[in-house]
Amino acid sequence: MSALTKAKGFKKSKSGTYLSMAATAFGAIGVAKRLKKARAENDTLVLIDATVSAAAIVTGLAILYRELKRLGDDDVLLG
């Protein structure tokens, strides 16, 4: 298997999925800051926007977790 093929398969590997989960979770920090600021300023629109973003992060993590479970032992980088 060539290096290019392995690189293309990285996103579908366990390592790639873990990296995606970490990046998604890292985005939660910014959303938490926006939520805190919106509450302090009583800005309803920003609060709604941050809440929807938080829901998207939770959904994204759930999808990535499901993908991680599906991968099981079929990791493209190991074989």
Side-chain angles (χ1 to χ4, degrees):
M1 185 180 291
S2 72
L4 183 59
T5 305
K6 281 189 177 185
K8 285 183 179 180
F10 180 73
K11 190 172 184 181
K12 296 287 184 182
S13 69
K14 280 188 176 185
S15 301
T17 304
Y18 281 127
L19 185 61
S20 294
M21 288 176 82
T24 303
F26 187 72
I29 295 171
V31 172
K33 287 180 182 179
R34 284 186 18 221
L35 278 168
K36 186 176 178 181
K37 184 178 178 184
R39 283 185 185 156
E41 296 176 356
N42 280 338
D43 191 337
T44 306
L45 285 177
V46 175
L47 186 60
I48 291 169
D49 181 52
T51 303
V52 170
S53 296
I57 287 173
V58 169
T59 304
L61 285 172
I63 290 169
L64 288 168
Y65 179 75
R66 182 183 66 189
E67 183 66 25
L68 190 62
K69 290 299 223 179
R70 282 188 186 162
L71 283 173
D73 294 332
D74 298 334
D75 195 343
V76 294
L77 292 180
L78 296 176

